[in-house]
Amino acid sequence: MQSKELIYRSLSEEIKRCFDFFPVITLTGPRQSGKTTICRELYPDLPYVNLEEIDTLNRIKEDPQSFFANHPNGAIIDEAHHYPEIFSYIQVNVDEDIYQGKMDRKFIVTGSSNFALLEKVTQSMAGRTAVLTLLPLSQKELQQAGKKTDTDRLILNGGYPAVWKNETAREIIYRNYFTTYIERDVRSIINIKDLMPFQTFMRLCAGRIGTEFNASALSVAVGVSVPTINNWLSVLAASYTVYLLSPYHANIGKRLTKTPKLYFYDTGLATFLLGIENEEQLKTHPLRGELFENMVVNEMMKEGLNKGKEEHLYFYRDKTQREIDVIRMKALDLEAYEIKSGKSYNGDYYKQLKFFKDLLGDQVKRTAVIYDGETDNRDLINGLYNYRDFSLYDNKTL
């Protein structure tokens, strides 16, 4: 039963649905995004095991078979990236259960390190597990929980549940999150003796949200090599801190950019790194537009992932600097979206969308402008959405 103190997570329905078909659920996502909470709320009768606890981890490593023998009904295994080999043991036990016709033992395995976890899942658990991702809270989840979610507050707070539980402690929470989790994860993956250049790199990344990732420029600014910059980026991507939005490519007779754009999984962390302390500072900050764009792209990802669907999102930019903020690919069909942080309608918002539609014709099934202003039914028909009203999964044809 859902606790009154907790915010209902949209992914809950997909987790329950997947357990009808798979003996194992693998739940990934950033640290502190709510993975443990959602699992223990949905399945309170499953024993909980945290592999961040050193004694617990060592006991399982010493005698993994006894661990599985002692959990005949399954378990929630938290932070499994600390012992990725556990997937091999899960595979053996699940296969034996299937052979014996025992289908009531269930495992939920969580982890916040994408690469280490999913590599073992691919090797050991193909066909035996559903892989789902829980990102920080979406604005829809916050609205449904009755939280006050004006745009600047959403950008400033981000989506981590701890921040929304105590907004006055936002800066402390993000400072501790940065030093406790991100820096620790980095040190556990690569050997960094001096953290100062890495901290500089993180803040420079926050200042480059929504722009093409330029490792060479960052290398000069930070004072480390290009391979080091790329390595750090990989670590941040593995820990669900940043991601790259790939450029859309097509054989359309244009020279298209090949450089991806950089975004943060959580705008609250980005604003912390930028030194933005309150909504008034954010309103006049030169990067507010980029932070708004980052938030909307995140919402697009969350809407898909919360339904168990991986969104195929790209952006378009050619040699003439024509740009579309988001291209969504569905099989061979395309949808094109412009993201604008302004609250007033501007007819030029549609200019690039029209160009893209003319360029690719019937392959483009939908175009829309997503902005921060108010919309009515007439606007929706014309493809103008306030980001709160927008959904990738509605039935409107634009």
Side-chain angles (χ1 to χ4, degrees):
M1 184 175 181
Q2 183 74 19
S3 170
K4 291 181 180 180
E5 290 78 21
L6 298 176
I7 295 176
Y8 178 77
R9 304 308 301 268
S10 301
L11 187 62
S12 298
E13 298 307 313
E14 185 63 18
I15 292 174
K16 291 186 286 187
R17 189 183 75 85
C18 286
F19 252 158
D20 291 336
F21 302 98
F22 296 95
V24 183
I25 299 292
T26 302
L27 185 61
T28 69
R31 288 181 178 273
Q32 300 297 303
S33 62
K35 300 185 298 297
T36 302
T37 301
I38 191 174
C39 293
R40 300 188 76 174
E41 279 291 305
L42 290 176
Y43 300 99
D45 295 331
L46 278 182
Y48 172 74
V49 181
N50 187 351
L51 298 192
E52 278 199 317
E53 296 175 356
I54 300 300
D55 290 343
T56 300
L57 178 61
N58 288 336
R59 283 198 303 270
I60 294 175
K61 285 183 175 181
E62 289 171 2
D63 192 358
Q65 292 298 354
S66 292
F67 169 78
F68 286 97
N70 292 331
H71 292 86
N73 296 317
I76 298 168
I77 304 173
D78 210 358
E79 302 296 354
H81 56 277
H82 291 293
Y83 186 41
E85 290 78 8
I86 200 168
F87 282 102
S88 297
Y89 293 102
I90 294 175
Q91 175 201 341
V92 171
N93 282 269
V94 164
D95 288 351
E96 183 63 22
D97 287 348
I98 294 172
Y99 177 75
Q100 296 182 6
K102 180 184 176 182
M103 307 302 292
D104 57 346
R105 181 155 68 161
K106 302 288 187 179
F107 292 96
I108 305 179
V109 186
T110 80
S112 52
S113 183
N114 197 6
F115 292 168
L117 198 69
L118 295 185
E119 180 183 5
K120 288 295 181 181
V121 171
T122 302
Q123 292 174 355
S124 305
M125 299 298 296
R128 301 170 182 87
T129 184
V131 180
L132 302 173
T133 302
L134 183 71
L135 294 183
L137 292 160
S138 69
Q139 62 94 7
K140 290 181 181 178
E141 290 169 327
L142 289 165
Q143 279 184 306
Q144 290 168 357
K147 299 292 184 179
K148 184 180 178 183
T149 56
D150 57 274
T151 303
D152 290 317
R153 178 172 291 188
L154 280 170
I155 295 172
L156 187 71
N157 284 355
Y160 283 104
V163 176
W164 287 95
K165 186 176 180 180
N166 187 1
E167 293 184 60
T168 59
R170 167 193 168 271
E171 186 174 356
I172 296 172
I173 291 169
Y174 275 114
R175 184 186 305 117
N176 289 337
Y177 183 87
F178 180 68
T179 57
T180 303
Y181 294 116
I182 296 177
E183 289 182 354
R184 186 183 67 178
D185 284 350
V186 168
R187 281 180 160 163
S188 70
I189 298 173
I190 53 179
N191 183 25
I192 295 182
K193 296 180 180 179
D194 183 3
L195 272 175
M196 187 171 294
F198 178 77
Q199 293 170 341
T200 301
F201 168 71
M202 284 285 297
R203 290 183 168 83
L204 289 174
C205 283
R208 286 163 168 77
I209 278 177
T211 65
E212 294 183 22
F213 181 75
N214 187 328
S216 296
L218 283 167
S219 169
V220 173
V222 179
V224 298
S225 68
V226 170
T228 296
I229 292 293
N230 288 325
N231 193 20
W232 288 352
L233 181 76
S234 296
V235 173
L236 292 178
S239 59
Y240 290 97
T241 304
V242 303
Y243 62 94
L244 296 177
L245 190 69
S246 299
Y248 173 74
H249 290 290
N251 185 20
I252 52 179
K254 296 279 184 180
R255 194 184 79 192
L256 305 180
T257 185
K258 297 181 180 180
T259 308
K261 291 202 298 187
L262 178 70
Y263 292 103
F264 275 65
Y265 276 101
D266 186 73
T267 57
L269 177 60
T271 58
F272 165 76
L273 291 170
L274 290 169
I276 302 173
E277 298 178 352
N278 54 56
E279 293 176 45
E280 292 305 312
Q281 292 176 0
L282 177 60
K283 290 180 189 298
T284 58
H285 198 279
L287 291 180
R288 185 189 181 277
E290 286 77 5
L291 288 163
F292 178 82
E293 179 182 315
N294 195 158
M295 181 186 71
V296 173
V297 176
N298 287 352
E299 291 297 319
M300 288 182 166
M301 280 203 306
K302 291 174 186 177
E303 187 170 10
L305 291 172
N306 285 342
K307 292 178 171 63
K309 302 176 186 294
E310 182 181 354
E311 290 296 340
H312 300 284
L313 304 179
Y314 307 88
F315 75 98
Y316 174 93
R317 181 180 290 154
D318 61 26
K319 65 180 180 180
T320 65
Q321 297 303 302
R322 291 184 181 273
E323 182 174 352
I324 306 292
D325 292 320
V326 177
I327 304 296
R328 184 193 187 207
M329 184 177 292
K330 295 176 63 179
L332 297 178
D333 294 337
L334 300 174
E335 300 171 354
Y337 303 108
E338 280 283 77
I339 301 171
K340 303 295 182 183
S341 64
K343 294 183 179 294
S344 301
Y345 168 77
N346 188 324
D348 288 341
Y349 285 171
Y350 294 98
K351 185 176 180 181
Q352 303 300 337
L353 294 174
K354 183 179 184 304
F355 161 79
F356 191 70
K357 175 70 173 176
D358 291 343
L359 185 66
L360 292 174
D362 293 339
Q363 189 178 357
V364 181
K365 302 300 182 184
R366 186 188 199 192
T367 61
V369 172
I370 306 169
Y371 84 139
D372 196 21
E374 299 301 320
T375 54
D376 55 29
N377 290 334
R378 176 182 55 80
D379 292 323
L380 298 182
I381 293 172
N382 292 328
L384 181 65
Y385 285 79
N386 178 278
Y387 70 93
R388 300 175 191 276
D389 303 322
F390 177 76
S391 172
L392 292 174
Y393 294 96
D394 63 20
N395 296 315
K396 299 180 180 67
T397 301
L398 302 180

